[in-house]
Structure formats: structure tokens, C-alpha cells
């Protein structure tokens, strides 16, 4: 589905990856772990072609659809919460079902996007991603803006889906509940382990 082949990337102050390789298989749910600044978010951006490789390649299945929830959100299209969720691509009732799971009330559907806090904007962006059902869903700290009931709903939704997941999270419980594999950024490479985060430790 997605092959990371001998990639290298160096920033002015330090190397990030040196001939790192990994293979994201269909149906797996991978936790991407490593120290802050080790290159986890950079790897997601390289998969999206938002950041250039110095060498190596990232091969993707033809027509592979990628979805990405960044740690920081710049803007959202649409005027209201409902607009920003369905984006004229999906039925209203499906958008409302996912918004309800993420903690929105019926009275919120027509609220203006610009009245929302950053955390609730992230929830709207996440709702759109879940609705669009990409082949690979990449989530960078998705639980930062979720309360416990909403997090439990998200876990249930993801586990009942067919998403292939690549997740960055400092929430060990979330990783333990979600992932089937761990990719550890270690010594500028990617080391793969089977099992959840506790088993990896």
C-alpha cells in the first residue's frame, strides 16, 4: 500500500532520517513513536509530498487516497460547522451522525466556523476526514482536543472501520487501544514492532 524506501532527510541542525525504510500494509493501525523532534510529523508531511526527501522514495499504490489531521490547523473551508463537514460532497445526515459522535449538538449545525475554538475546529476537520473515508488516515495527536466520551466514540468508530491508520500520539491508552503495530524512530531509522505500545515497551 505504501512503501518507505531508504529515505534520508537532514535539517540544518541535525539529520532526521538516514536511509529509513518501512512498509504500511493494508488494514494495519500503526503508532509512530519517538522523542519530540525525531521526525514523526516530518514523515507524515513527506508521505503527503508536503516536504521533500533528500534521497530514497516513498512509493504509494496508484490512486491511494490519503487523509491527514495535523497537530495545528490553519483554516477550514465552509461557513458553518455542517458546511465544513460535508463540503457539498456527502449527505447531511451522515455529517450530522459523525458530528454528534464528536460532541456537537443539533443546535451547533449552523454555528459559524469563526466562532469555534481551535479544539472544536479540529473536531470539525476530523469529522470531514472520517466522512471522506480515505484509504490511509494519518492522525497527529488526535486526542489533544477530545474529552473522554468523545475519545471513546472515536476509538469505536476507527476500530469498526477499514481504515489503515498511521497515528502520532503521546496518549498511551489511546495507542494501546488502537494500534496493531509500532514504528519507532530510532537512530534516524524506522524500527517496526508488532503489537500495541505497552507490548513494544
Amino acid at each position: 500500500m505504501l512503501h518507505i524506501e531508504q529515505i534520508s532527510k537532514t535539517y540544518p541542525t541535525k539529520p532526521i532520517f538516514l536511509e529509513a525504510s518501512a512498509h504500511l500494509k493494508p488494514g494495519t493501525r500503526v503508532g509512530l513513536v519517538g522523542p519530540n523532534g525525531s521526525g514523526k510529523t516530518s514523515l507524515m508531511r513527506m508521505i503527503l509530498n508536503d516536504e521533500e526527501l533528500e534521497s530514497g522514495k516513498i512509493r504509494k499504490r496508484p490512486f491511494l487516497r490519503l487523509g491527514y489531521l495535523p497537530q495545528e490547523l490553519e483554516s477550514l473551508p465552509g461557513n458553518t460547522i455542517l458546511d465544513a463537514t460535508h463540503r457539498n460532497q456527502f449527505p447531511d445526515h451522515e455529517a450530522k451522525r459523525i458530528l454528534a459522535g464528536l460532541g456537537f449538538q443539533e443546535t451547533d449545525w449552523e454555528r459559524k466556523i469563526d466562532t469555534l475554538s481551535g479544539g472544536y475546529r479540529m473536531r470539525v476537520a476530523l469529522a470531514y476526514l472520517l466522512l471522506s473515508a480515505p484509504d490511509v488516515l494519518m492522525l497527529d495527536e488526535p486526542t489533544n482536543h477530545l474529552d473522554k466520551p468523545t475519545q471513546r466514540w472515536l476509538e469505536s468508530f476507527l476500530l469498526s472501520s477499514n481504515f489503515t491508520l498511521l497515528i502520532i500520539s503521546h496518549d498511551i491508552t489511546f495507542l494501546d487501544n488502537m494500534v496493531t503495530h509500532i514504528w519507532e524512530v530510532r537512530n534516524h531509522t524506522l524500527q517496526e514492532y508488532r503489537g500495541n505500545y505497552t507490548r513494544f515497551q
Side-chain angles (χ1 to χ4, degrees), residues 100-103 123 143 145-157:
L102 290 172
R123 292 190 190 199
T143 63
H145 304 291
L146 302 181
D147 54 24
K148 290 303 180 185
T150 308
Q151 182 172 324
R152 286 194 295 269
W153 179 89
L154 177 62
E155 290 176 6
S156 176
F157 185 95

Side-chain angles (χ1 to χ4, degrees), residues 41-97:
T41 296
S42 293
L43 178 62
M44 287 189 170
R45 291 177 54 81
M46 285 187 277
I47 291 171
L48 292 164
N49 296 324
D50 287 344
E51 202 165 311
E52 291 185 1
L53 303 173
E54 287 173 14
S55 63
K57 63 176 65 174
I58 297 177
R59 291 194 298 115
K60 303 162 196 167
R61 190 184 71 195
F63 309 112
L64 186 71
R65 295 179 305 117
L66 299 170
Y68 175 52
L69 183 74
Q71 194 169 350
E72 300 294 336
L73 190 65
E74 293 181 1
S75 63
L76 273 175
N79 187 34
T80 68
I81 289 173
L82 191 57
D83 290 340
T85 302
H86 64 60
R87 302 187 190 181
N88 295 318
Q89 299 172 32
F90 306 102
D92 276 8
H93 70 276
E94 287 295 324
K96 290 174 180 177
R97 178 176 66 87

